[in-house]
Each structure stands twice: as structure tokens, then as C-alpha cells.
Amino acid sequence: MQKISDFVFSYPPNLQELDLATMVSMYRDRGEPRRAAPGKYLACAITKKLIKEAKWWFGLYYSQSAWDDLLTKGSNGYPLTEAELNALGLIVTSEEPPHREYVEKNIGILPKLAYLIVNDIKQFGLIEEDGQGFLNITSHGEQALQGISRRIYGKRFVPEMLHAYHQDPSLSKDDRTGSDQPSLF
């Protein structure tokens, strides 16, 4: 599927080089306001302008207005990336609620980071988890999924947007029958 925009938050491509403690710390600190030292400035990653205060994302700084512009419709302030699109999309496309481990394994990001992402989107009210670890999307999660889908692809969510879809095309609802018997339709 063709992307129309990369104007979203993204995790650094070399995140696997970090030890677990550093990665968790950086993940937890994302979105935190940072202030430049006296006599120093920060540069906004989007506008390239020098600023005294910024929001921090894995070593990058964003002015408040740039940060707000990167937030997608329906996210309620949560900084969504393609990993969250994949997590929410996997839950939506599954006929039965998927298990947490399946979602973590198939969102196209490091497993340890995937665990943190699932915890956060659950805590933020985008998904719900039952006692056995099965996940369901909430109405807020549906809105967030549509917002990030529209930002990246310019249209409502479809399974072809998923990282896992390209690994296993049977994730398309049209292709699944739920049994070994071929579909006659």
C-alpha cells in the first residue's frame, strides 16, 4: 500500500542497539518537556528553528506546535506511530480477539518495545485486555486507528496497511474463511 505521508512520530531504526534499560528510559521520557541550558538552544526537528523549550522524542526535539501537528486525529494526545497502527489494526482484523503475545510479535518492532506499546495503548484506553491476555479495541482505539491510517495512507484503515499483512496475506478478512474448506464465494 502506498504511503502519502511520513509526517508521524517514528521510532529510531537502530533502536535494537540500545540495552533494555536505556530503551525503556527513552520510551518513558518521550513527550517530556525539555528546557535548554542557560545560553544554549534546542532545534526543532520539524521547523529547524532554535527554541528554548521543546518536547523530547528519542533524542529529537519538537516545538509544542510541531508536536501538536504530529499528533493524529483521534489520538487524544497519544503520539501514534506505525507500530501502534499495526497493533490496533491487528486487533481490528482478527475474527476472535487476538492474544497479546500475537499482537506484540506482529507489529514490526522490537519485542521489548512492543510490550511497552501494548501496555501504554491499554493504559491510554485504546484497547482492553481480559484476564487471559486477549485484546479488544475500544471506540477511542478505533478513532485513533482511523486517524493514523488517514495521516499515513490518506484513507480509512484496511488490512493491507499492516506490517503482518505483507508477511501473511491471509490476514485479509476477505480471504479468511475460518476453516480449511475453500470459499465458494
Side-chain angles (χ1 to χ4, degrees):
M1 173 141 300
Q2 182 75 24
K3 292 181 185 180
I4 64 160
S5 175
D6 285 328
F7 191 67
V8 293
F9 292 99
S10 62
Y11 297 108
N14 61 341
L15 207 52
Q16 73 281 357
E17 294 177 15
L18 299 176
D19 62 81
L20 179 60
T22 303
M23 183 181 63
V24 169
S25 175
M26 290 180 88
Y27 182 79
R28 291 287 171 227
D29 288 348
R30 74 202 192 292
E32 290 291 317
R34 300 282 170 99
R35 186 165 186 75
K40 306 280 181 176
Y41 288 89
L42 307 172
C44 176
I46 301 295
T47 66
K48 311 296 188 229
K49 291 182 180 178
L50 296 174
I51 50 180
K52 282 287 199 179
E53 289 186 31
K55 293 229 175 171
W56 188 82
W57 178 273
F58 292 90
L60 298 174
Y61 297 98
Y62 296 95
S63 67
Q64 184 64 54
S65 61
W67 182 271
D68 292 344
D69 289 345
L70 279 166
L71 293 173
T72 54
K73 187 174 181 176
S75 71
N76 296 331
Y78 186 89
L80 296 173
T81 70
E82 284 189 69
E84 285 83 4
L85 179 144
N86 280 294
L88 296 170
L90 279 172
I91 296 167
V92 166
T93 58
S94 296
E95 287 180 10
E96 299 289 323
H99 197 271
R100 173 190 186 108
E101 289 179 13
Y102 172 79
V103 172
E104 290 173 2
K105 185 176 168 185
N106 290 289
I107 64 173
I109 198 91
L110 296 170
K112 292 168 185 159
L113 182 58
Y115 176 82
L116 296 170
I117 290 169
V118 170
N119 278 348
D120 270 11
I121 61 176
K122 182 177 83 172
Q123 186 175 14
F124 215 77
L126 303 180
I127 62 172
E128 295 172 338
E129 182 177 9
D130 70 12
Q132 289 78 39
F134 292 98
L135 305 174
N136 285 299
I137 195 163
T138 64
S139 61
H140 291 298
E142 285 270 1
Q143 292 170 355
L145 174 61
Q146 296 309 328
I148 190 74
S149 298
R150 287 187 189 279
R151 171 72 60 90
I152 297 172
Y153 295 101
K155 56 178 137 182
R156 291 184 57 79
F157 173 78
V158 293
E160 290 81 11
M161 295 174 183
L162 296 173
H163 168 78
Y165 178 86
H166 300 286
Q167 311 302 317
D168 180 9
S170 68
L171 288 172
S172 171
K173 283 187 176 181
D174 297 335
D175 295 340
R176 288 183 285 153
T177 61
S179 72
D180 292 336
Q181 185 174 4
S183 173
L184 299 175
F185 301 100

